Amino acid sequence: RIVGAGNARASVIAPLDHDDVWDRDYLERHFRLWSTVEPQGVYLSYGPSLYWFYENTDGAKDYIQPMPSEYPAIYKAGELLDAFMSNDYAATPLPSCTFYRKEIFQGLTRFEEAARSGLGFEDQYLSWYAASRWPVSVHCEPWVRYRQHSGSYLAASSQGIRAREEEFTFLSTMNTYLIEEHPDHPILTTGKLNRRMEELKKGLGV
């Protein structure tokens, strides 16, 4: 993603994971929204995905991703980190649902090594970095289907000790970053981030 964004000619990046599905007019509709919020300083725009259990053709298991409270809205820099961390990270943007300003990707190299060690949290680095520094627009339209695989990497790695290790690496990395760049952030000052790290440390026997 860093390399792709660096070589892109446009000022906005719209990622699409290889097995997700955009609605036919997704780009047109999201860009129309982006054109109204980007002048307000927004660097990230996203909405909910439809969790699509395509193997169950009756659609009975499908559901719409939960979103932060009070959406649709434009949130100030840093306001969404608490929501991202809550409910097992359920409200974090999925890449296929997002528009990003290109320059966001230039600062991601500082997280590259940590992200490689835990692919289950790869997307979190991008979302947390963007939301900690710039305003974020959240809309309410499920324009993207997030395909669910029963035997996928994420399904297999979301449980057990490996999942806790990856989460601990992610939170430790973001804790260091926030202390350096945003030491007064509420997720630090309220102790929420530290408490979750302590829970993980106990589970890992650290």
Side-chain angles (χ1 to χ4, degrees), residues 143-193:
W143 294 327
V144 179
R145 283 180 285 170
Y146 176 31
R147 192 191 307 262
Q148 301 298 294
H149 300 281
S150 57
S152 69
Y153 171 86
L154 286 180
S157 63
S158 62
Q159 305 294 327
I161 190 167
R162 179 167 184 173
R164 293 195 294 272
E165 289 174 344
E166 291 188 358
E167 184 181 359
F168 184 77
T169 298
F170 167 69
L171 293 179
S172 298
T173 303
M174 297 311 301
N175 184 60
T176 300
Y177 160 71
L178 290 170
I179 289 173
E180 293 175 353
E181 302 290 338
H182 310 282
D184 58 346
H185 193 284
I187 205 168
L188 296 178
T189 57
T190 61
K192 182 174 183 177
L193 187 59

Side-chain angles (χ1 to χ4, degrees), residues 53-70:
F53 293 82
Y54 74 104
E55 295 162 322
N56 298 81
T57 55
D58 61 1
K61 294 182 65 176
D62 297 352
Y63 66 92
I64 295 176
Q65 177 188 8
M67 288 283 101
S69 61
E70 301 179 2

Side-chain angles (χ1 to χ4, degrees), residues 83-194:
F84 286 177
M85 190 176 175
S86 301
N87 194 20
D88 199 24
Y89 304 91
T92 306
L94 296 168
S96 300
C97 303
T98 57
F99 271 25
Y100 290 97
R101 287 201 197 186
K102 175 182 175 178
E103 52 262 43
I104 288 177
F105 292 84
Q106 298 171 357
L108 285 178
T109 53
R110 65 183 298 161
F111 307 114
E112 193 168 3
E113 182 177 352
R116 289 182 186 277
S117 69
L119 294 179
F121 281 82
E122 176 190 12
D123 301 331
Q124 302 282 350
Y125 290 98
L126 174 57
S127 299
W128 279 51
Y129 175 64
S132 71
R133 296 177 63 92
W134 298 288
V136 177
S137 174
V138 182
H139 66 80
C140 56
E141 301 293 339
W143 294 327
V144 179
R145 283 180 285 170
Y146 176 31
R147 192 191 307 262
Q148 301 298 294
H149 300 281
S150 57
S152 69
Y153 171 86
L154 286 180
S157 63
S158 62
Q159 305 294 327
I161 190 167
R162 179 167 184 173
R164 293 195 294 272
E165 289 174 344
E166 291 188 358
E167 184 181 359
F168 184 77
T169 298
F170 167 69
L171 293 179
S172 298
T173 303
M174 297 311 301
N175 184 60
T176 300
Y177 160 71
L178 290 170
I179 289 173
E180 293 175 353
E181 302 290 338
H182 310 282
D184 58 346
H185 193 284
I187 205 168
L188 296 178
T189 57
T190 61
K192 182 174 183 177
L193 187 59
N194 190 63

